[in-house]
Amino acid sequence: MPPNPRPRPVRRLLAAALLATALLPAAPAAAAEHLRTVYGRPVPFGDGAAHTYARLRGDEPVEIGVALTRGSLTDLPTEPADGRHCYDRDGDGTVDPMHECAGGHEYALALPRALHGLPGMPLDFALLDWDPAGHGPPKVYDRPHLDVHFYLQSDAERQAIRPGPCGILIDCTDYATATRPLPPEYLPADYTDKGLAQVAMGNHLTDLTGEEWHGGGFTRTFVYGTYDARITFLEPMVTLAALQAAEGADPADACRPVKQPQAWQVPGWYPRAYCVRHSAESGEYTVSLEDFARHA
């Protein structure tokens, strides 16, 4: 198995915790009195930290995201996975970290406490995955990238999805549960099931109109996660190169639409856009869900 990530100096962790209170750019002056920003607890990531945040206007979410502090994209782990989710698929008594471990390097992130009391908020926690070599399918998502999951189920439910020989190292019974089809009214247009069900995660529905499926090369995309015929997570996927390119990108190109189903199984607030940004002021990179609408 790959070695455990080496510990970061204590002063870095303290600095990250202090930064978490003032990392995001200020809201426009005209709206400042109506907006408040709340933060989740930071965790070490690269030479910086990762944390969740949310911007709220009263009881309405404006932006919910994951922020990576200055230095986060340097000194990242290079091993293919952190060894948490492995299965000896060939039965030879050893685990090959390249082919018999999944999930890359995962970081569970608590959402800001204020979100848990927000009326109509379906999100429970966030899961950040760093994939230094990418993952399958081959020649589609095999570039270094970040998977930013916003889960509608609890972390305990997510981790109860067992390892095994089916799909992406998932227990075969859990694979069958994960790939149960969504009722048509809950399936967004152009999304399909390619059997990408994974241990400790669930199934992944992909947008077949995405550039990565038509020879354009993967830079960023949006994935719907499912388990037992329910949507269980919302996932922007962003390559390391695309995240770094946000530093000099046109702000008008930061956001892309999230294709919507005809209806949502769980009432509440859901995003109609996801965005990738860099703040010159704080040095942070953010991946966020935005343009929320409330569904009955």
Side-chain angles (χ1 to χ4, degrees), residues 204-273:
H204 298 71
L205 305 185
T206 57
D207 181 357
L208 287 185
T209 67
E211 58 193 1
E212 65 271 22
W213 298 104
H214 301 278
F218 164 52
T219 57
R220 55 190 284 196
T221 192
F222 191 89
V223 171
Y224 278 96
T226 66
Y227 193 80
D228 200 13
R230 296 178 294 118
I231 289 177
T232 52
F233 62 81
L234 312 175
E235 180 193 355
M237 290 172 54
V238 185
T239 64
L240 178 62
L243 196 62
Q244 292 169 326
E247 186 168 349
D250 183 346
D253 296 330
C255 298
R256 294 187 182 179
V258 173
K259 293 181 179 179
Q260 302 289 297
Q262 297 174 42
W264 293 88
Q265 292 159 306
V266 178
W269 294 100
Y270 291 94
R272 294 176 293 190

Side-chain angles (χ1 to χ4, degrees), residues 103-119:
H105 297 261
E106 71 174 40
Y107 305 80
L109 303 175
L111 292 178
R113 187 173 299 176
L115 286 185
H116 292 292
L118 199 71

Side-chain angles (χ1 to χ4, degrees), residues 25-36 55-57 62:
E33 62 180 343
H34 304 294
L35 283 174
R36 63 188 174 111
R55 282 184 171 164
L56 308 174
R57 181 177 287 113
V62 174

Side-chain angles (χ1 to χ4, degrees), residues 31-277:
E33 62 180 343
H34 304 294
L35 283 174
R36 63 188 174 111
T37 305
V38 291
Y39 303 92
R41 184 186 300 274
V43 301
F45 188 79
D47 278 338
H51 66 89
T52 58
Y53 70 94
R55 282 184 171 164
L56 308 174
R57 181 177 287 113
D59 285 339
E60 298 183 6
V62 174
E63 181 178 342
I64 300 174
V66 168
L68 306 176
T69 69
R70 195 187 305 273
S72 292
L73 301 187
T74 59
D75 200 23
L76 287 168
T78 57
E79 300 87 1
D82 58 19
R84 297 186 190 191
H85 307 297
C86 301
Y87 185 80
D88 183 13
R89 178 174 268 166
D90 60 13
D92 67 353
T94 62
V95 170
D96 178 354
M98 179 63 74
H99 300 105
E100 295 181 323
C101 293
H105 297 261
E106 71 174 40
Y107 305 80
L109 303 175
L111 292 178
R113 187 173 299 176
L115 286 185
H116 292 292
L118 199 71
M121 176 48 57
L123 303 179
D124 188 85
F125 79 103
L127 184 72
L128 177 64
D129 283 275
W130 159 239
D131 294 282
H135 54 64
K139 299 183 179 179
V140 180
Y141 298 126
D142 54 1
R143 298 181 177 185
H145 70 269
L146 292 168
D147 299 331
V148 187
H149 307 80
F150 297 89
Y151 268 87
L152 282 71
Q153 62 180 178
S154 71
D155 193 25
E157 290 175 307
R158 188 267 305 184
Q159 294 199 55
I161 302 173
R162 299 165 293 181
C166 290
I168 306 174
L169 298 180
I170 185 174
D171 174 85
C172 293
T173 299
D174 292 352
Y175 178 89
T177 304
T179 54
R180 284 188 60 203
L182 284 175
E185 64 269 29
Y186 303 132
L187 180 67
D190 301 319
Y191 277 78
T192 191
D193 180 2
K194 286 187 168 289
L196 304 177
Q198 183 170 321
V199 56
M201 198 166 286
N203 200 13
H204 298 71
L205 305 185
T206 57
D207 181 357
L208 287 185
T209 67
E211 58 193 1
E212 65 271 22
W213 298 104
H214 301 278
F218 164 52
T219 57
R220 55 190 284 196
T221 192
F222 191 89
V223 171
Y224 278 96
T226 66
Y227 193 80
D228 200 13
R230 296 178 294 118
I231 289 177
T232 52
F233 62 81
L234 312 175
E235 180 193 355
M237 290 172 54
V238 185
T239 64
L240 178 62
L243 196 62
Q244 292 169 326
E247 186 168 349
D250 183 346
D253 296 330
C255 298
R256 294 187 182 179
V258 173
K259 293 181 179 179
Q260 302 289 297
Q262 297 174 42
W264 293 88
Q265 292 159 306
V266 178
W269 294 100
Y270 291 94
R272 294 176 293 190
Y274 75 101
C275 308
V276 178
R277 296 189 178 92

